[in-house]
Amino acid sequence: TSFVKKFRRATQSRASSNGGSGSSQGHYFLVPGATVATLLMLGVLHARRMYDDKKVEEAREKGIESEFQPDIKATYLQLLPLRSISRCWGYLTSMEIPVWLRPHVYRAWARAFHTNLEEVALPLDGYATLQEFFVRTLKEGCRPLDPDPQCLVSPVDGTILRFGEIKGAGAMIEQVKGFSYSVSSLLGASSYLPMVAAVDTDGETGEPENSSRENSKRSWWRVSLASPKFWDPMSACPMKGLFYCVIYLKPGDYHRIHSPADWNIVIRRHFSGHLFPVNERAARTIRNLYIENERVVLEGLWPEGFMAIAAIGATNIGSIKLSIEPELQTNRQRGKLLQAEPPEERLYEPEGVGMTVKKGDEVASFNMG
Amino acid sequence: STVVLIFQAPVKNKDSSSEFKFCIQRGDKIRVGEALGRWQDS
């Protein structure tokens, strides 16, 4: 407002010195006019987006599945420097907010993204930056664990997008109707995922153990590039009893990841990929969204067998911090142009046992930018 | 941001009578610590 007032004063004084000509009157409306037009355009785009999302929501309530619709805009997203945008966003949100302004900013955030402020651990003015507020902890007892010992609990606050059993050749997970991605692409080709050869789909022998162990010995490069025909995950099937669940975290949700069970984390993989947005619209329009984006995969064993968590970053929430490995840095600026880098791996000690975490223990968190 | 959880869980076969079942629906809002699924000896 002060800028506009100053600008008006400047243009008025210039207009008076020019004798109040018509052209200066035109300049007078130029900035406010452009601002109003931009705001109007953004408003219309936002309204259209909300209308589209509402239609999708209504369709889902009627049982109609949203289908994959390749979008030209999604293709152009690849041209944007999303990593730089993400890092810039991280820089902005790590700026300290004046104490008096903090409650207003966080209340506005909560109103926009439906955050429950009653369960926030600290008073609002205790969070110096928006980033700190975003990765807030909760008051003691806000997330009680289900007492049933024979249950698997949710690792995050969020919305269930997909779940089910992984079956069939290639062990595919459906992104949306009409488009799927393979679990081995998500977790990495050297995953310990229990697979069996396609010809032995109903087999209950020791074969899967051998094959998964053999796969784990091969590096990502050797499997995917140097010898693509040597081991083809697409020709293998998952063992019976392999399930998946995809949970989407909205910006207002609590963004820390907890262990869904007593679990031994044996290996961590960090895939440095793109940073596309991961909202529902993006899932409908960007092919291979979850296997293109930067992610951290934790893999290990729980009493019932294999378990893995893939934490997938996005443009606004680009970095993932591991409580069990604080030195891991994600969303780093990259000099290389090559996108398809092999994942960086770390085996946790002691070898073969890994790091033990209890049900409900915090294992990671998503950070802004 | 998104989290994908992949896990093995009990299924009915000749050695075991317990079976894992999800107790969620698509579109459900879930919170940390709430059950995703359970298995029980049938």
Side-chain angles (χ1 to χ4, degrees), chain A residues 107-344:
Chain A
R107 277 200 197 103
W109 178 272
R111 215 168 295 136
F113 299 110
H114 311 289
T115 305
N116 183 0
L117 291 178
E118 283 177 13
E119 56 187 23
V120 175
L122 301 176
L124 290 184
D125 53 13
Y127 298 99
T129 65
L130 184 59
Q131 208 169 62
E132 274 181 27
F133 175 74
F134 184 78
V135 288
R136 65 196 172 271
T137 51
L138 301 180
K139 281 178 190 159
E140 196 76 25
C142 276
R143 294 288 181 274
L145 289 181
D146 192 299
D148 184 357
Q150 291 189 312
C151 86
L152 191 71
V153 299
S154 175
V156 287
D157 278 16
T159 308
I160 305 290
L161 291 187
R162 303 244 153 204
F163 67 91
E165 190 172 355
I166 304 170
K167 292 175 183 168
M172 307 296 276
I173 294 179
E174 202 175 50
Q175 183 174 314
V176 282
K177 194 179 171 189
F179 189 79
S180 302
Y181 56 95
S182 74
V183 180
S184 60
S185 308
L186 178 78
L187 302 181
S190 59
S191 167
Y192 288 84
L193 195 70
M195 302 283 276
V196 288
V199 286
D200 189 26
T201 48
D202 297 322
E204 291 163 16
T205 62
E207 171 72 18
E209 249 183 58
N210 293 340
S211 65
S212 66
R213 204 168 293 153
E214 204 180 316
N215 298 337
S216 68
K217 287 178 190 166
R218 296 169 195 153
S219 74
W220 187 91
W221 280 109
R222 271 190 284 157
V223 170
S224 66
L225 293 175
S227 55
K229 287 172 192 166
F230 197 53
W231 179 69
D232 179 11
M234 298 304 285
S235 68
C237 285
M239 275 180 77
K240 271 186 175 177
L242 193 65
F243 298 88
Y244 74 95
C245 183
V246 185
I247 306 172
Y248 171 63
L249 289 80
K250 289 183 176 162
D253 288 332
Y254 168 63
H255 264 76
R256 287 176 186 254
I257 305 171
H258 294 253
S259 177
D262 292 344
W263 186 28
N264 277 19
I265 306 171
V266 178
I267 193 167
R268 179 269 296 160
R269 277 182 221 104
H270 171 218
F271 297 76
S272 177
H274 293 282
L275 278 174
F276 293 122
V278 291
N279 53 42
E280 281 190 65
R281 170 180 290 267
R284 288 200 308 273
T285 55
I286 303 172
R287 201 174 280 270
N288 285 327
L289 176 64
Y290 302 125
I291 57 175
E292 287 274 353
N293 266 17
E294 178 156 1
R295 63 197 179 279
V296 172
V297 171
L298 297 174
E299 208 175 276
L301 291 167
W302 72 306
E304 305 302 326
F306 174 87
M307 179 178 275
I309 288 183
I312 303 162
T315 318
N316 54 346
I317 299 127
S319 59
I320 299 143
K321 289 265 174 214
L322 291 185
S323 322
I324 53 171
E325 190 191 336
E327 62 274 20
L328 175 72
Q329 287 202 333
T330 58
N331 195 4
R332 283 176 296 187
Q333 194 69 286
R334 286 183 309 174
K336 294 173 192 171
L337 289 171
L338 189 67
Q339 288 289 348
E341 288 176 1
E344 183 211 333

Side-chain angles (χ1 to χ4, degrees), chain A residues 40-59:
Chain A
L40 271 176
M41 187 188 72
L42 288 173
V44 168
L45 285 173
H46 187 67
R48 193 183 135 185
R49 194 174 161 165
M50 281 172 66
Y51 175 72
D52 286 349
D53 289 347
K54 198 178 167 196
K55 270 172 67 180
V56 170
E57 191 70 33
E58 283 171 0

